[in-house]
Amino acid sequence: MGCLFATQLASAGCNITLLLRNKPQKTSGYVTVDSDGVSRNFAVGLGHAPTATNVTHLLVSTKAQDVGAAVRGVAPHIDEQACIIFATNGMGYAEEVKALLPRNPIYYATSTEGAYRLGSLHICHAGRGQTRIGSTEALPPPPWLGDWTNTGLDCRWEENITAALWHKLAINCAINPLTAVHRCHNGDLAKNKQLAVQVKQLCDEIASISLAAGFAMTAESVHSDVAAVIAGTADNRSSMLQDVVAGRDTEIDYITGHLLRTAEKFGADAPYNRNLLNEVVSLG
Ligand code: KPL
């Protein structure tokens, strides 16, 4: 998603530098985006966090478990006004950043755009969706929102981004861990009767926790929304399954882990989600 946003913002006239995990050989390069059978190259700057300078807007699109390290790497080079925008799955990863950079304004982006990696700096923009951006600190829409709405993507301001992030978390809780444990496509969660029963059990718990935590709309719609996402992404392998297959750490602590910490806060129990978290942890 980082490459997708970077290329779209670059084409809207923003000065973009991709901060790569490993130090790049060059200071500029191209990101290739395949979309509707056409490949397009977008010129971007290339950099490395420890040498980054003049960072005014930091878009963090790492895995949730890598957010802290990624921001720590750039922190010495960004000033107090620099905006931090998280485009990351899950919830509960921003606390470490807030402790590190207490004065910087923080925003969140949650997206249903479909994009996957084909290679280094090469992605496929597979499906159109919507990106909602908002603040959990009651900040007003920032001036740079116009850069996002000028991209070819459907981007809009979201007044209640916490509810939007929670809704995405609820969907991910019901789909990602189960597909990772059973190494199946999203669609198998509806096709396979036993898995469909498990989805229902997970959703029942997610609905009760959502209600207790004040997310009544998610509580009401989670069963049907999960069914719709399973149908709409039937041939996909969830991001958590891809992490497991690639031997990477998963985002389970920021997805089901966050759900369970919220449940605990409200004195609720969620045994199906807890067992599933333990199963995913034992995979690694
Ligand atoms: O967001 C996803 C993910 O894989 O992380 C879903 C919606 C489950 C699509 O696969």
Side-chain angles (χ1 to χ4, degrees):
M1 292 304 286
C3 277
L4 178 68
F5 292 139
T7 54
Q8 301 308 301
L9 288 165
S11 69
C14 298
N15 185 5
I16 299 291
T17 301
L18 291 183
L19 297 177
L20 306 178
R21 218 175 272 268
N22 299 316
K23 196 165 184 223
Q25 312 272 340
K26 301 177 289 179
T27 55
S28 63
Y30 291 94
V31 176
T32 307
V33 180
D34 293 0
S35 180
D36 299 327
V38 180
S39 275
R40 287 178 66 200
N41 288 332
F42 295 83
V44 292
L46 300 177
H48 187 44
T51 57
T53 50
N54 300 327
V55 178
T56 56
H57 301 75
L58 182 68
L59 174 64
V60 184
S61 60
T62 62
K63 293 278 175 186
Q65 63 272 20
D66 297 329
V67 162
V71 177
R72 268 198 308 278
V74 199
H77 312 285
I78 67 176
D79 68 31
E80 285 184 0
Q81 273 89 52
C83 301
I84 301 171
I85 306 134
F86 290 113
T88 297
N89 259 351
M91 291 175 87
Y93 49 76
E95 282 62 22
E96 186 182 345
V97 175
K98 280 189 197 147
L100 191 67
L101 300 166
R103 283 194 251 276
N104 292 74
I106 289 182
Y107 300 86
Y108 296 84
T110 178
S111 184
T112 53
E113 292 288 342
Y116 59 88
R117 193 174 177 271
L118 292 168
S120 167
L121 304 185
H122 187 184
I123 60 162
C124 175
H125 185 193
R128 297 274 161 174
Q130 191 184 71
T131 301
R132 286 178 291 161
I133 300 170
S135 156
T136 56
E137 296 159 345
L139 298 170
W144 49 260
L145 186 68
D147 294 329
W148 289 72
T149 53
N150 282 340
T151 64
L153 305 176
D154 177 1
C155 297
R156 55 189 69 183
W157 183 249
E158 171 61 63
E159 286 297 339
N160 193 349
I161 195 73
T162 308
L165 295 171
W166 179 269
H167 182 262
K168 176 90 182 356
L169 178 115
I171 306 277
N172 287 144
C173 282
I175 298 177
N176 295 22
L178 212 48
T179 57
V181 167
H182 295 279
R183 294 197 173 228
C184 64
H185 287 97
N186 293 357
D188 294 327
L189 301 184
K191 269 189 239 148
N192 178 307
K193 284 210 175 79
Q194 280 167 355
L195 292 178
V197 169
Q198 291 189 54
V199 171
K200 158 109 179 40
Q201 290 162 335
L202 295 170
C203 286
D204 288 346
E205 291 182 352
I206 295 165
S208 322
I209 299 163
S210 299
L211 199 58
F215 301 111
M217 268 161 65
T218 297
E220 203 173 297
S221 68
V222 68
H223 292 84
S224 57
D225 290 347
V226 164
V229 173
I230 289 173
T233 62
D235 296 331
N236 289 13
R237 292 189 314 162
S238 76
S239 53
M240 196 172 287
L241 172 57
Q242 292 180 46
D243 287 340
V244 167
V245 169
R248 293 188 291 258
D249 284 349
T250 71
E251 295 180 307
I252 192 73
D253 195 40
Y254 299 89
I255 295 179
T256 308
H258 186 82
L259 178 89
L260 294 173
R261 284 188 292 276
T262 308
E264 213 172 292
K265 234 198 266 174
F266 291 96
D269 195 14
Y272 289 111
N273 281 279
R274 186 173 302 285
N275 287 342
L276 194 53
L277 176 137
N278 291 335
E279 282 186 67
V280 172
V281 170
S282 69
L283 294 176

